[in-house]
């Protein structure tokens, strides 16, 4: 067997393991990224969708935020205009979290209709610019 | 001044178009007058753009709030340091900065390139002018003119985002930009070599140094970015696999691959197609990075202003990729390898695997970054992958790469013999295995962390062995004292030993990354006098006692500071302060969200990282997050060592170029004789 063939085998092994790692990585760690309406459609079609880890990207409903800093819990609602979900997050929200931002909520929707969040990312439309003067 | 600035943009735009035409046509027809004109166009464009930069800086310092850009990113009470850096705080200024730096690099390439490569220069000028003109046209036609004036003049500007008011943010973006931008120069040389069909070893010499420079800027820029994220953002880490971070990592990976595979081309005349593809790919990835950071197509917590500018970049990316790969495809027959791979156990083989791994990592990072878009296209539902995906894929690949870092430099070219392998690897392998055993006995059970440290020890041993052998050889041969021998060894073989220093830095980085596997964290709500405990991975118990809160006004912010006393195993270590800052405008009204100033106490073993989340109902009862991050300092040290090694490799002088080319030539002749 000449070196070229051996190298080709080595290359196939590397490329194969990269491919395998990527495929299994996506399978094991991939999460749905849904809007609230997409989530409510999924739930309506397939009730097993409860208690599945996912990310929900939406706007915080203004005025819906209740912070209990001492207990480190945060309750708020998210919406994309049509569907609306309540979120319960135990932990410290990022600095940029307010009731007027877009958030990505990572967590699981339970039968009680509440998304129990494990992580909340806040995203200003333009994070590196000042908030527009109201 | 803004009139002058706007005018300069137009001048630069027109000169750029001329320079591109003159460069390509002049190069193709060999017309000296056009070639000269293209060269002058690069200089003229550079002058015009830098005058524009000066004009924008002038407007910033004059607080000319009638200029939209000035009003958006500065305010009267912004410290001067940050007023200056507001040049690249926003998109429009960044575009101007980008084009200016590119034209400056282009001018430098015109001046510094030696006579031997003169034939390439008109094309280089053409490419530089084309790319710079694209950036200028985004400013002029993409509603991104930094000199745009408002219909009214606000009394004060909106101020700079507090998260950008950090020394790291003054240096991180320009470094990253310098890295991104300077990739254009090797790309321009690569295109020039392809277009002019001068595809001998010569073009490589011209490209390598520029690639090294841009690799160095990018490395430093990425490290500064990690440092900024760590001290400023307060989430407790330095790398989150965010799309924006990935965008900076991608060209770094492909350039690192190139810097290795280029040696195979120099020494053995192989991999020419691959190397050119890597350079073109790196440059396209840098434009791609700009596209994702500017367009908002991928959801990122970093996302900058979302605007139609992104589509300009998408269009440019597609056009540039099509053009460059068309040229590349037509020249493929000229890029045949001069020799063949002779053995799997050889340096070229190990470099080939190294390259496959680098490109594999780059591909998986790109895939993970684009996955939400791809999955939506294919399945109709967005699926995202996060840090677990990137870690799961890249830790094994990174470890394989780390292993090759030890093997590649020591194994012989062409075909390694068994004695060669024994001589080179007996000691390092022993050191690696021994380290693994010690860690196992010591109770470390995290497989990846253990592998990272053991492989790191193996690589470090190869480096030490190389330095020791080289020094001893000089000591014997020239009768130099050991210190002098070591200095001369490094000074006279900068490329080789500088490379080893870079590898040492990488080993330190890998071990530091492994440290994060042992990070611990807790949150607590404390009244003054109350305390909480956290166990460190080294087995110590830290006690954090809340001492109290103070509030005061500083230049442009109201500060709420909480002070904590830290004790390790009951012994007092000192106090740590962590702040919440509310930035205010000139009239004392709040601007922006409150921001966190993390309290960090570092030593070589671990960082105590304390974030003040807030006060409960305005009392002194405060909510904290405590994190212990092992080995973080080594990330910064490792980064500095990598940069130092890169500088040594780049430093002019060392082995004269002529000698090096001759050496490469001789080897090629031998190779051809056998083929």
């Amino acid at each position: 067997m000449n070196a070229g063939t051996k190298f080709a085998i080595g290359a196939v092994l590397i490329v194969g393991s990269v491919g395998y790692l990527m495929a299994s990585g996506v399978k094991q760690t991939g999460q749905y990224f849904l809007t609230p309406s997409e989530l409510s459609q999924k739930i309506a079609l397939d009730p097993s969708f409860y208690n599945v880890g996912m990310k929900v990207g939406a706007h915080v409903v203004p005025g819906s935020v209740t912070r209990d800093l001492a207990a480190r819990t945060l309750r708020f609602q998210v919406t994309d205009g049509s569907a609306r979900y309540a979120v319960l997050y135990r932990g410290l929200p990022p600095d940029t979290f307010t009731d007027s931002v877009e958030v990505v909520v990572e967590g699981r929707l339970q039968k009680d209709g509440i998304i129990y969040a494990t992580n909340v990312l806040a995203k200003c439309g333009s994070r590196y610019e000042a908030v527009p003067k109201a | 001044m803004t009139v002058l600035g706007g005018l300069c943009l137009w001048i630069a735009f027109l000169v750029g178009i001329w320079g591109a035409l003159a460069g390509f046509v002049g190069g193709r027809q060999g017309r000296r007058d056009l070639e000269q004109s293209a060269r002058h166009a690069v200089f003229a464009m550079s002058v015009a753009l830098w005058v524009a930069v000066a004009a924008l800086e002038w407007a910033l310092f004059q607080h000319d709030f009638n200029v939209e850009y000035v009003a958006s990113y500065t305010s009267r009470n912004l410290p001067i340091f940050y007023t200056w850096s507001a040049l690249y705080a926003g998109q429009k200024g960044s575009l101007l900065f980008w084009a200016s730096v590119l034209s400056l690099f282009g001018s430098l390439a015109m001046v510094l390139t030696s006579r031997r490569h003169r034939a390439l220069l008109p094309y280089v000028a053409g490419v530089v002018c084309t790319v710079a003109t694209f950036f200028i046209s985004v400013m002029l036609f993409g509603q991104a003119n930094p000199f745009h004036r408002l219909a009214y003049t606000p009394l004060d500007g909106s101020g700079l985002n507090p998260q950008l008011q950090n020394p790291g943010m003054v240096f991180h973006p320009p470094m990253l930009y310098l890295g991104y931008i300077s990739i254009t120069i090797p790309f321009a040389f690569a295109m020039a070599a392809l277009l002019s069909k001068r595809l001998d070893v010569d073009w490589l010499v011209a490209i390598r140094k520029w690639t090294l420079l841009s690799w160095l800027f990018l490395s430093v820029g990425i490290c500064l970015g990690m440092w900024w994220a760590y001290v400023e953002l307060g989430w407790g880490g330095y790398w989150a696999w965010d799309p924006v971070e990935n965008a900076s990592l991608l060209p770094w990976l492909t350039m690192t691959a190139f810097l290795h595979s280029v040696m195979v081309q120099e020494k053995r005349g192989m991999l020419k197609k691959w190397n050119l593809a890597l350079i073109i790919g790196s440059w396209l990835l840098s434009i791609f990075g700009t596209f994702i950071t500017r367009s908002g197509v991928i959801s990122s917590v970093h996302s900058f202003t979302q605007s139609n500018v992104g589509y300009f970049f998408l269009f440019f990316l597609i056009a540039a990729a099509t053009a460059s790969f068309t040229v590349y495809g037509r020249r493929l027959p000229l890029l045949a390898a001069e020799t063949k791979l002779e053995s799997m156990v050889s340096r070229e083989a190990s470099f080939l695997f190294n390259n496959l791994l680098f490109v594999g990592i780059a591909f998986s990072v790109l895939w993970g970054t684009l996955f939400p878009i791809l999955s939506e296209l294919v399945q109709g539902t967005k699926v995202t992958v996060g840090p677990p995906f990137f870690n799961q894929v890249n830790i094994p690949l990174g470890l394989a790469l780390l292993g090759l870092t030890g093997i590649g430099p020591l194994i012989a070219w062409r075909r390694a013999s068994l004695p060669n392998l024994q001589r080179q690897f007996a000691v390092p392998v022993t050191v690696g295995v021994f380290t693994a055993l010690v860690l196992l006995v010591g109770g470390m059970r995290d497989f990846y962390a253990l592998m990272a440290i053991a492989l790191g020890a193996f690589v470090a041993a190869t480096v030490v062995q190389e330095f020791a052998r080289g020094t001893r050889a000089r000591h014997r041969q020239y009768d130099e004292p050991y210190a002098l021998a070591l200095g001369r060894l490094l000074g006279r073989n900068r490329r080789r030993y500088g490379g080893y220093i870079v590898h040492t830095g990488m080993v330190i980085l890998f071990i530091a990354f492994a440290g994060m596997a042992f990070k611990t964290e807790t949150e607590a709500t404390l009244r003054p006098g109350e305390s909480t405990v956290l166990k460190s991975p080294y087995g110590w118990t830290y006690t954090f006692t809340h001492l109290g809160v103070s509030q005061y006004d500083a230049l442009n912010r109201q500060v709420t500071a909480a002070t904590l006393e830290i004790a390790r195993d009951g012994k007092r270590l000192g106090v740590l302060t962590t702040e919440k800052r509310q930035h205010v405008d000139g009239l004392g009204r709040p601007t922006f969200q409150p921001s966190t100033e993390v309290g960090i106490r570092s030593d070589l073993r671990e960082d105590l990282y304390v974030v003040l989340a807030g006060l409960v109902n305005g009392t002194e009862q405060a909510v904290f997050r405590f994190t212990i991050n092992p080995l973080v300092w080594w990330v910064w040290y490792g980064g500095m060592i990598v940069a130092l090694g890169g500088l040594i490799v780049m430093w002019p002088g060392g082995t004269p170029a002529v000698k090096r080319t001759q050496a490469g030539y001789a080897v090629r002749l031998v190779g051809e004789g056998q083929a």
Side-chain angles (χ1 to χ4, degrees):
Chain A
M1 199 161 39
N2 72 9
T5 321
K6 279 194 210 156
F7 172 75
I9 295 172
V12 167
L13 271 177
I14 291 187
V15 172
S17 43
V18 172
Y20 168 75
L21 284 168
M22 280 168 53
S24 67
V26 166
K27 212 168 178 181
Q28 290 167 20
T29 70
Q31 287 181 317
Y32 280 107
F33 186 99
L34 304 169
T35 62
S37 353
E38 285 169 345
L39 176 59
S40 66
Q41 280 167 17
K42 287 250 179 214
I43 285 286
L45 289 174
D46 177 11
S48 73
F49 226 72
Y50 286 110
N51 200 19
V52 169
M54 67 179 75
K55 284 180 181 167
V56 177
H59 284 278
V60 177
V61 177
S64 70
V65 181
T66 14
R67 288 170 193 255
D68 184 350
L69 199 57
R72 298 187 295 282
T73 49
L74 183 69
R75 287 166 191 278
F76 57 95
Q77 292 180 355
V78 289
T79 184
D80 59 348
S82 47
R84 182 185 280 222
Y85 282 95
V87 180
L88 174 70
Y89 173 56
R90 285 183 199 284
L92 306 175
D95 283 342
T96 41
F97 182 88
T98 63
D99 69 353
S100 56
V101 291
E102 246 183 288
V103 285
V104 177
V105 175
E106 221 179 312
R108 287 157 193 272
L109 177 67
Q110 299 298 350
K111 288 260 157 78
D112 57 9
I114 297 174
I115 301 173
Y116 289 80
T118 50
N119 200 6
V120 173
L121 299 171
K123 178 179 144 194
C124 296
S126 50
R127 168 165 152 171
Y128 291 137
E129 283 175 21
V131 270
K133 296 259 156 56
Chain B
M1 284 302 274
T2 52
V3 176
L4 177 65
L7 189 67
C8 281
L9 286 187
W10 278 103
I11 294 175
F13 177 68
L14 296 174
V15 169
I17 293 179
W18 167 251
L21 288 174
F24 289 125
V25 174
R28 197 178 167 80
Q29 302 183 344
R31 277 179 55 182
R32 297 288 298 175
D33 54 340
L34 283 181
E35 290 179 16
Q36 196 65 9
S37 180
R39 180 184 165 88
H40 290 159
V42 177
F43 297 142
M45 187 170 66
S46 183
V47 171
L49 286 169
W50 283 98
V51 171
V53 167
L56 187 57
E57 285 290 357
W58 178 265
L60 287 166
F61 277 107
Q62 292 295 312
H63 297 307
D64 184 355
F65 296 124
N66 187 239
V67 178
E68 188 199 0
Y69 190 80
V70 178
S72 305
Y73 297 101
T74 60
S75 56
R76 291 190 193 279
N77 63 1
L78 186 70
I80 277 210
F81 196 41
Y82 299 119
T83 303
W84 174 75
S85 73
L87 170 66
Y88 40 78
Q91 170 153 291
K92 297 168 183 179
S94 303
L95 287 167
L96 176 59
F97 183 67
W98 187 298
S100 314
V101 173
L102 176 58
S103 62
L104 181 69
F105 276 137
S107 307
L108 284 175
M110 293 293 132
V111 175
L112 295 179
T113 305
S114 65
R115 270 178 201 290
R116 283 190 302 136
H117 308 304
R118 274 289 143 83
L120 297 175
L121 287 182
Y123 293 105
V124 173
V127 174
V128 168
C129 283
T130 308
V131 178
T133 306
F134 163 71
F135 277 89
I136 301 168
S137 66
V138 174
M139 277 185 276
L140 291 176
F141 309 117
Q143 287 148 20
N145 191 328
F147 298 105
H148 179 71
R149 282 189 175 273
L150 295 165
Y152 58 96
T153 306
L155 283 175
D156 198 354
S158 322
L160 187 65
N161 187 313
Q163 288 176 329
L164 303 186
Q165 297 187 36
N166 169 289
M169 254 300 146
V170 174
F171 301 109
H172 156 65
M175 279 294 170
L176 213 53
Y177 286 150
L178 288 175
Y180 263 7
I181 299 163
S182 50
I183 306 176
T184 310
I185 304 296
F187 167 74
F189 273 102
M191 294 315 291
L194 285 171
L195 287 167
S196 65
K197 299 188 190 168
R198 293 170 63 96
L199 290 162
D200 43 14
V201 182
D202 259 19
W203 63 272
L204 258 188
V205 183
I207 282 183
R208 200 187 68 94
K209 285 247 164 165
W210 279 102
T211 314
L212 207 51
L213 180 77
S214 108
W215 176 87
L216 186 64
F217 280 131
L218 207 52
S219 309
V220 174
I222 292 174
C223 283
L224 283 172
M226 297 200 306
W227 181 72
W228 170 75
Y230 185 69
V231 302
E232 188 61 36
L233 295 184
W235 58 274
Y238 41 76
W239 191 266
W241 296 107
D242 184 86
V244 173
E245 295 164 6
N246 296 347
S248 67
L249 187 63
L250 287 169
W252 186 89
L253 288 166
T254 48
M255 276 200 282
T256 314
F258 172 81
L259 289 172
H260 289 91
S261 61
V262 80
M263 289 182 237
V264 181
Q265 182 174 344
E266 276 175 89
K267 288 272 186 343
R268 306 277 293 128
M270 297 158 64
L271 298 183
K272 291 178 181 176
K273 294 172 194 163
W274 176 256
N275 285 333
L276 274 168
L278 279 178
I279 282 297
I280 297 173
S282 302
W283 181 74
L284 290 172
L285 283 172
S286 80
I287 298 294
F288 169 77
T290 321
F291 164 62
I292 36 179
T293 50
R294 299 294 170 189
S295 65
V297 287
I298 293 167
S299 132
S300 149
V301 281
H302 278 268
S303 63
F304 302 81
T305 333
Q306 293 176 19
S307 63
N308 55 359
V309 163
Y311 296 97
F312 277 79
F313 278 96
L314 184 61
F315 169 76
F316 184 61
L317 183 66
I318 293 170
T322 315
S324 45
F325 279 109
T326 307
V327 176
Y328 175 73
R330 295 177 64 148
R331 296 291 186 263
L332 276 183
L334 298 175
L335 292 167
E338 291 159 35
T339 54
K340 270 197 187 142
L341 189 66
E342 287 176 33
S343 161
M344 277 286 281
V345 192
S346 64
R347 194 176 298 183
E348 40 289 38
S350 87
F351 276 24
L352 286 173
F353 289 128
N354 138 315
N355 262 252
L356 280 177
L357 283 168
F358 270 116
V359 173
I361 292 174
F363 182 70
S364 74
V365 172
L366 183 66
W367 183 261
T369 310
L370 291 178
F371 200 74
I373 299 179
L374 297 175
S375 64
E376 193 168 25
L377 281 178
V378 176
Q379 297 184 328
T381 326
K382 241 186 214 182
V383 176
T384 60
V385 294
F389 167 82
F390 292 105
N391 290 336
Q392 201 170 323
V393 176
N394 288 320
I395 290 175
L397 298 179
L399 289 175
L401 207 47
L402 182 61
L404 282 179
T405 309
I407 297 169
L410 264 62
I411 201 165
W413 286 104
R414 301 183 63 187
R415 188 187 294 276
S417 60
L418 197 60
N420 163 275
L421 294 179
Q422 279 173 347
R423 188 181 112 85
Q424 298 286 45
F425 295 109
V427 176
V429 168
T430 316
V431 171
V433 171
F434 183 72
T435 310
L437 287 177
V438 168
L439 292 172
L440 264 179
V441 173
M444 187 182 280
R445 289 293 176 272
D446 186 302
F447 175 72
Y448 283 145
L450 189 133
M451 283 302 288
I453 299 173
L455 283 171
F458 160 70
V459 178
T462 62
V463 172
V464 171
Q465 178 179 284
E466 281 289 282
F467 270 99
R469 282 185 182 159
T471 308
R472 211 180 310 136
R474 284 197 78 90
H475 170 72
R476 282 209 205 110
Q477 199 174 348
Y478 305 109
D479 208 19
E480 291 166 351
Y482 282 109
L484 182 69
L486 179 67
R488 288 213 173 135
L489 181 75
L490 187 58
R492 303 213 169 148
N493 308 276
R494 288 185 194 136
R495 201 168 154 185
R496 176 169 173 191
Y497 289 92
Y500 289 149
I501 292 177
V502 173
H503 284 176
T504 311
M506 289 312 300
V507 166
I508 292 174
L509 282 169
F510 267 87
I511 294 176
F513 295 156
M516 275 308 218
F518 304 99
K519 151 181 185 167
T520 56
E521 196 170 82
T522 182
E523 286 165 8
T525 308
L526 303 175
R527 287 199 174 77
E530 288 180 341
S531 53
T532 189
V533 291
L534 184 58
K535 252 189 132 39
S536 116
Y538 294 93
W540 292 311
T541 306
Y542 283 96
T543 312
F544 299 91
T545 312
H546 180 27
L547 296 179
V549 174
S550 59
Q551 286 180 311
Y552 55 90
D553 290 339
L555 179 63
N556 58 353
R557 54 190 183 265
Q558 293 158 350
V559 178
T560 302
T563 308
L564 296 141
E565 189 182 69
I566 306 162
R568 183 163 65 201
D569 289 341
K571 215 179 104 215
R572 186 181 180 279
L573 286 183
V575 292
L576 190 66
T577 304
T578 162
E579 297 175 4
K580 203 85 189 167
R581 294 173 170 178
Q582 175 63 61
H583 280 70
V584 294
D585 65 10
L587 300 170
R589 294 173 303 193
T591 54
F592 298 101
Q593 319 290 333
S595 64
T596 298
E597 188 68 16
V598 186
I600 303 176
R601 186 182 192 283
S602 304
D603 63 25
L604 293 179
R605 284 167 299 209
E606 59 200 351
D607 274 19
L608 307 180
Y609 187 99
V610 184
V611 172
L612 171 64
L615 303 179
V616 180
N617 303 325
T619 64
E620 280 197 87
Q621 187 181 20
V623 182
F624 298 99
R625 185 170 64 230
F626 302 96
T627 313
I628 295 180
N629 293 320
L631 302 178
V632 174
W633 255 101
W634 294 97
V635 176
W636 322 135
Y637 282 138
M640 283 185 242
I641 291 172
V642 167
L644 176 76
L647 270 179
I648 291 175
V649 175
M650 266 191 59
W651 207 259
T655 325
V658 182
K659 235 168 141 186
R660 208 163 49 218
T661 1
Q662 279 172 353
Y665 187 59
V667 173
R668 278 214 327 283
L669 278 184
V670 173
E672 275 158 6
Q674 288 192 343

